[in-house]
Amino acid sequence: MFAMMENARLEALHLAQDTATGLRAIIAIHSSKLGPALGGCRYLAYPDDSSAICDAIRLAQGMSYKAALAGLAQGGGKAVLIRPPHVQSRAALFEAFGRMIESLNGRYITAMDSGTSSADMDCIAQQTRHVTSTTAAGDPSPHTAMGVYAGIRATARARLGGDDLQGLRVAIQGLGNVGYALAQQLAAAGVELFVSDLDVGRVQLAVEELGAQRVSNEELLTTPCDILVPCGLGGVLNPQTVSELHCAAVAGAANNQLASAEVADELEARGILYAPDYVINSGGLIYVALKHRGEELPAITAHLAKIGQRLTEIYAHAQADKRSPARVADALAERLLYGS
Ligand code: NAD
């Protein structure tokens, strides 16, 4: 365990259990160099404890990188709550988790993530103020979409010679909370949209409301387009899928799009510009972090707009160094976090 922590340069790992409610929680604090650690809490079943701990550590490290490059005075953390097969009271379990967070005196701030909802955050908020994305704080997804939109414009500027999106062909995989809000903005900018989703109802809505063209889930990644926008699950870019892409750039919201770090080099070798996922999708984090600090919407929107600038800088570095933007982003984040 300590080797794993050392490898990820993890600051601290906190474990707690509460027999009365069935809580078994892991809080990984990757770094608090730039500020208190902020990151979502997952509530999922895991095959064993060590895979839950690995997940928490890996995700906490990702949050540090994301916060650092988003220019937030925030460190990276993540919590994993191991979902029991049966729970008597979900509310009581999340309240117990709230007490665990409170015991850390603000070193970790939690938020909604896979398997949790704003209602769960409301239960946590009964016990601690170190929680965001409650019902009152609001859904971060539209802000993630706004940031991705700014990132797509920066990507078009760098790869296609201009940020006027009118007439560009954009293929979106996944029309969920982020993907659909983004599709609305892109349609308003005059983009020709190609869309797919496992949920046929979402696709139908985009066809009717936004004039999008339906593409099967199997064909979306190989659709000829200017920009491919993954907004579904992670891991969509692997050696096989990258060899079959027909796009000039990939710029989407999905977390962990690259199946491995080497895939970024393969994209680069094919001349496909890749917007590092944790940079372009940081709008949600920016929203929850600034909202938690009591910032008003205009200040949050101004901060979101910087995502485009940050990507432009990363693309310029990448071009100068002939490296993938993903490698450049990692190096920049590591400099901010470790000074190396
Ligand atoms: P969501 O669950 O609301 O939507 C995901 C959509 O993708 C669903 O409609 C699902 O049916 C579809 N989908 C999944 N796999 C697909 C496939 N193979 N082909 C076509 N469609 C597929 O999730 P979301 O909140 O919109 O988030 C989308 C992605 O962005 C996720 O990877 C998430 O981790 C990431 N992200 C979200 C936020 C946020 O603020 N919500 C912030 C940062 C990153």
Side-chain angles (χ1 to χ4, degrees):
M1 166 130 46
F2 283 103
M4 205 195 308
M5 288 174 69
E6 204 177 315
N7 227 356
R9 301 175 87 152
L10 191 89
E11 227 171 78
L13 194 62
H14 300 271
L15 307 182
Q17 70 82 35
D18 181 58
T19 313
T21 59
L23 175 78
R24 294 173 83 198
I26 301 149
I27 296 177
I29 295 180
H30 178 260
S31 167
S32 48
K33 183 181 171 204
L34 303 176
L38 169 61
C41 75
R42 299 199 152 182
Y43 182 52
L44 301 173
Y46 283 86
D48 49 52
D49 295 350
S50 61
S51 36
I53 290 171
C54 277
D55 211 21
I57 293 177
R58 181 180 62 86
L59 293 164
Q61 183 178 22
M63 291 308 296
S64 284
Y65 282 45
K66 190 185 283 204
L69 284 197
L72 295 168
Q74 215 75 65
K78 205 83 175 186
V80 166
L81 275 58
I82 300 174
R83 187 180 202 131
H86 172 74
V87 65
Q88 217 163 24
S89 162
R90 183 172 172 125
L93 185 144
F94 278 92
E95 282 175 28
F97 180 53
R99 288 190 287 279
M100 178 188 182
I101 294 171
E102 182 61 15
S103 74
L104 297 177
N105 292 319
R107 292 184 58 229
Y108 169 67
I109 304 162
T110 202
M112 209 164 90
D113 204 308
S114 303
T116 58
S117 65
S118 49
D120 297 325
M121 299 305 112
D122 293 347
C123 294
I124 294 171
Q126 309 266 340
Q127 306 294 329
T128 182
R129 62 192 169 84
H130 306 300
V131 53
T132 66
S133 54
T134 53
T135 309
D139 180 6
S141 307
H143 306 277
T144 303
M146 276 173 69
V148 175
Y149 182 77
I152 287 177
R153 288 189 59 190
T155 304
R157 207 180 305 126
R159 182 64 177 80
L160 304 167
D163 63 5
D164 181 1
L165 303 183
Q166 173 87 35
L168 287 192
R169 293 165 306 155
V170 174
I172 306 182
Q173 183 188 53
L175 293 169
N177 292 324
V178 177
Y180 200 87
L182 179 63
Q184 288 173 314
Q185 292 177 61
L186 291 169
V191 159
E192 192 182 348
L193 282 178
F194 300 87
V195 298
S196 81
D197 198 296
L198 304 178
D199 178 345
V200 291
R202 304 292 289 178
V203 176
Q204 187 60 26
L205 200 62
V207 169
E208 287 169 12
E209 277 191 357
L210 310 175
Q213 296 175 51
R214 182 195 319 266
V215 179
S216 72
N217 292 321
E218 295 69 36
E219 288 172 352
L220 191 281
L221 291 180
T222 56
T223 301
C225 61
D226 295 300
I227 304 184
L228 174 70
V229 181
C231 291
L233 295 182
V236 288
L237 301 172
N238 59 48
Q240 175 68 32
T241 56
V242 167
S243 71
E244 292 171 359
L245 296 179
H246 282 91
C247 58
V250 179
N255 274 316
N256 305 320
Q257 290 169 37
L258 303 171
S260 69
E262 291 70 33
V263 174
D265 305 326
E266 292 174 30
L267 284 161
E268 186 67 9
R270 284 212 52 208
I272 298 171
L273 187 61
Y274 173 68
D277 48 17
Y278 63 85
V279 180
I280 193 169
N281 74 12
S282 60
L285 175 66
I286 290 169
Y287 176 76
V288 296
L290 298 187
K291 186 88 183 156
H292 191 64
R293 283 165 192 256
E295 297 280 4
E296 299 295 337
L297 211 50
I300 297 176
T301 309
H303 200 115
L304 282 175
K306 293 185 193 160
I307 291 176
Q309 272 163 256
R310 177 61 88 187
L311 275 174
T312 300
E313 286 162 22
I314 290 171
Y315 292 150
H317 277 287
Q319 198 180 16
D321 299 355
K322 296 192 170 35
R323 277 199 302 166
S324 155
R327 301 271 185 198
V328 170
D330 285 354
L332 284 173
E334 281 159 15
R335 199 173 313 147
L336 289 165
L337 289 167
Y338 315 127
S340 62

